[in-house]
Amino acid sequence: MIHFPRPDFKVLFATAAVSICLASCSMAGDEDRARVTVIDDGEPSIKPVGIKLNYASATARAAIARGLVGFDEQGRVVPALAARWIVTDDGLSYIFRLNEAKWDDGRQVTAERIARLLRERIAELRPSRLGKDLEAIDEIISMTGRVIEIRLKSPHPNFLQLMGQPEMGLFRAGHGAGPMSQIENDRTYTLGMFNQVTSDAENEEEDDSSPNEQPVDDPRRVTLRSESAAKALARYTAGYTDLLLNGQFHHLPLVDEAGVNSNDLRLNPVAGLFGFKFMRANGFWSLPENREILSMAIDRPALLTSFPNVTAWQSRQKIIPDALNVADINARPDWTGMNMQERQQFVREHVRRWEALEGPILPLTIAVPDAAGADILFLRVRSDLRRVGLDARQVSLNQEADVRLIDEIAPYDSAQWFLSQLTCAKTPVCLNDADSKIAEANAATNLQIKARLYAETEVILVQHYNYIPLAVPVRWSISRPGQRGFAVNPRGWHPLNPLVGIPIS
């Protein structure tokens, strides 16, 4: 039996609770007010500019800087700056008709300016997580005062989901176009109804000196905080947060200790990558058939049951979700028909043969977050490896390691995103042949050919074992019962404006 270490969470929560300002004004039960806290493992900051946005900054940007489209609380693409759009039959052209809209200084939103801002933003985002996806855009054209055409190099069936990402929200000279406005950024980031100011020079966008009229005040407010998991949970249990966002698997032990009502915990059915990515392949691990041994040795169902709060957590043995499979192409490993005992016996014999010829196998170094949930995961995996004659050593994410735990949500529903995370641009243990086939698929104009090429690439990468899938990612939220404008969704994305009844367009 494995005995997992349990930190003194009571002390941790007591310390966090003391640091919370309990003089905060309670707004419970007021539909015009919502208090949101985002869990952040790094610096708890909210800066909705730049290209590498943490979750809180992305949430703030989506609230104050609309793109052509956005996401609603159900994770569906909805109109934002664009009122509607059409897609040509070949999938190579998206034509958007803009809403009548203004920037928060009262200037009129025009197609010419939006086209220019989009081109600038796409160039700025080249080194970001969306950079490779945005390479699909060939040209952005302002057709009339309110119509924009975006032409693609090849069809991208999930292009609207890409354009709805928070990074695609636009600023003009520091001004957004809603659906909300930043009111203050002191101890909390406070947002209210978008300032519907008017300008004496609505169509003279280059003239930034015109005076603005002050808008009529709207009582609807959202306060946004970014805090560590312990502080965020302490704030929630003390009654000073209505909604807690961006919980991940390694925070789950804190939820137990905080005493959160199980009915308040909401699990988003997200898709993405959760597993071990090889960062170096030395000695025993340099061969794909030995990396396959690692995948066979891990008892995924037992691993997931170490986190009882997420009974719906699903294990994975392949890269791309089943929903994106192509008929007649099976990317599952050959050993999936074996039970766990058969797999363990096979691995033991393989390890014995190797060590008899090559000598002892060094422990596998595994980089995971510095958190209790990650410790539980590591210890479970190490126990599985020790059962078959292997061993592992835990290191932090900022240290060199053989494998690194990858925990990322797919921004849109496409096989291309999953495969692109395993290219030579993203990981040192890679295959040029797989990269070439991905490039061929990206360039294909026939959607059936494109899907088949992606599926064939998955087979190649599954057999290469530079990535060991474990499960789908976990993204959870904690919400008060009946919270307005909140819903679990497959994007794991929760916009602020629906929380107080403010439409996005």
Side-chain angles (χ1 to χ4, degrees):
M1 180 178 180
I2 303 174
H3 296 281
F4 299 119
R6 295 184 66 81
D8 194 342
F9 290 119
K10 291 182 179 179
V11 173
L12 183 63
F13 278 108
T15 303
V18 168
S19 68
I20 293 174
C21 178
L22 297 182
S24 299
C25 179
S26 176
M27 299 183 290
D30 186 350
E31 281 200 341
D32 287 339
R33 305 290 171 118
R35 301 160 301 174
V36 180
T37 301
V38 171
I39 293 176
D40 196 327
D41 291 331
E43 180 186 355
S45 62
I46 302 177
K47 298 176 182 177
V49 295
I51 63 174
K52 293 184 178 179
L53 305 178
N54 61 19
Y55 191 97
S57 300
T59 301
R61 186 180 184 109
I64 63 178
R66 283 183 290 177
L68 291 175
V69 297
F71 293 112
D72 68 6
E73 64 270 30
Q74 302 284 347
R76 299 171 298 198
V77 172
V78 293
L81 288 175
R84 56 187 180 273
W85 53 85
I86 60 172
V87 185
T88 55
D89 291 341
D90 59 7
L92 295 176
S93 178
Y94 286 71
I95 301 171
F96 299 87
R97 183 168 184 82
L98 300 181
N99 275 307
E100 287 283 357
K102 297 179 181 180
W103 304 101
D104 65 5
D105 64 351
R107 310 290 174 184
Q108 193 73 30
V109 171
T110 66
E112 182 179 0
R113 175 54 68 93
I114 293 299
R116 188 191 317 167
L117 291 173
L118 279 172
R119 288 191 287 266
E120 292 172 355
R121 184 59 176 163
I122 288 166
E124 185 182 10
L125 288 168
R126 279 175 187 156
S128 77
R129 71 184 185 112
L130 302 180
K132 293 297 293 184
D133 305 317
L134 292 170
E135 289 180 1
I137 296 175
D138 185 34
E139 196 173 7
I140 301 174
I141 303 168
S142 169
M143 299 177 69
T144 71
R146 291 177 60 195
V147 178
I148 289 175
E149 180 183 12
I150 300 181
R151 297 175 181 171
L152 306 183
K153 298 172 184 175
S154 63
H156 194 311
N158 308 100
F159 182 67
L160 291 174
Q161 292 177 355
L162 174 60
M163 296 303 292
Q165 297 301 310
E167 291 94 328
M168 300 307 298
L170 300 176
F171 287 108
R172 181 199 64 82
H175 298 285
M180 305 184 78
S181 294
Q182 177 187 336
I183 296 175
E184 61 181 63
N185 184 12
D186 188 12
R187 293 179 62 187
T188 60
Y189 198 95
T190 304
L191 301 105
M193 181 65 182
F194 175 60
N195 290 342
Q196 297 294 337
V197 299
T198 59
S199 167
D200 293 334
E202 288 185 347
N203 295 315
E204 299 175 16
E205 292 199 56
E206 303 302 332
D207 179 9
D208 291 328
S209 61
S210 300
N212 296 329
E213 297 177 8
Q214 291 301 314
V216 176
D217 186 49
D218 188 296
R220 291 175 286 185
R221 297 285 187 274
V222 174
T223 58
L224 181 67
R225 291 176 179 268
S226 176
E227 293 185 322
S228 68
K231 284 187 177 181
L233 285 161
R235 183 177 295 280
Y236 184 85
T237 55
Y240 294 99
T241 291
D242 303 309
L243 181 61
L244 196 156
L245 303 176
N246 198 39
Q248 301 180 43
F249 92 98
H250 54 275
H251 305 129
L252 286 169
L254 294 173
V255 177
D256 286 337
E257 295 296 331
V260 174
N261 188 317
S262 60
N263 292 328
D264 294 356
L265 182 66
R266 316 297 176 86
L267 188 67
N268 289 292
V270 297
L273 295 178
F274 184 87
F276 294 137
K277 182 190 286 189
F278 269 89
M279 307 307 294
R280 63 187 181 196
N282 301 325
F284 179 78
W285 305 109
S286 64
L287 301 177
E289 56 264 34
N290 292 344
R291 298 195 292 270
E292 179 183 23
I293 288 300
L294 171 61
S295 191
M296 294 179 69
I298 297 173
D299 187 346
R300 291 165 179 79
L303 171 66
L304 302 189
T305 56
S306 301
F307 301 87
N309 270 329
V310 284
T311 55
W313 199 359
Q314 299 176 346
S315 63
R316 283 287 180 268
Q317 296 172 331
K318 59 192 291 291
I319 301 167
I320 298 174
D322 293 342
L324 300 175
N325 284 350
V326 172
D328 303 324
I329 295 182
N330 179 18
R332 295 187 181 280
D334 295 337
W335 47 262
T336 54
M338 301 169 65
N339 62 38
M340 197 64 223
Q341 289 181 335
E342 291 170 337
R343 283 159 47 188
Q344 288 174 340
Q345 182 60 33
F346 180 89
V347 173
R348 286 190 201 99
E349 294 173 359
H350 183 93
V351 169
R352 289 194 196 106
R353 287 195 299 269
W354 174 275
E355 291 187 325
L357 293 172
E358 305 291 341
I361 300 169
L362 294 176
L364 181 75
T365 52
I366 302 177
V368 296
D370 182 16
D375 293 341
I376 292 172
L377 180 141
F378 169 77
L379 290 171
R380 177 67 72 179
V381 170
R382 188 180 68 179
S383 175
D384 287 342
L385 294 183
R386 286 179 171 178
R387 287 190 178 98
V388 296
L390 297 170
D391 204 355
R393 182 169 62 88
Q394 181 178 353
V395 299
S396 62
L397 289 174
N398 61 0
Q399 292 180 280
E400 290 188 358
D402 297 316
V403 299
R404 182 180 301 273
L405 181 67
I406 302 301
D407 183 3
E408 297 182 14
I409 297 178
Y412 57 90
D413 304 324
S414 169
Q416 188 271 346
W417 180 86
F418 291 86
L419 300 175
S420 67
Q421 309 311 304
L422 305 175
T423 60
C424 294
K426 293 291 185 75
T427 182
V429 183
C430 60
L431 275 177
N432 290 327
D433 288 349
D435 282 19
S436 297
K437 193 171 280 288
I438 291 172
E440 183 183 356
N442 291 344
T445 57
N446 182 288
L447 291 179
Q448 290 183 334
I449 293 175
K450 184 187 289 282
R452 181 161 290 273
L453 287 169
Y454 285 141
E456 291 171 356
T457 306
E458 182 185 21
V459 173
I460 294 172
L461 287 173
V462 165
Q463 294 173 352
H464 185 56
Y465 288 98
N466 62 341
Y467 170 69
I468 308 300
L470 298 177
V472 298
V474 166
R475 292 296 184 274
W476 53 265
S477 306
I478 294 177
S479 170
R480 305 283 178 201
Q483 173 63 54
R484 178 185 187 183
F486 171 82
V488 297
N489 65 75
R491 304 264 76 80
W493 178 250
H494 304 289
L496 300 179
N497 53 294
L499 301 176
V500 289
I502 295 176
I504 192 174
S505 60

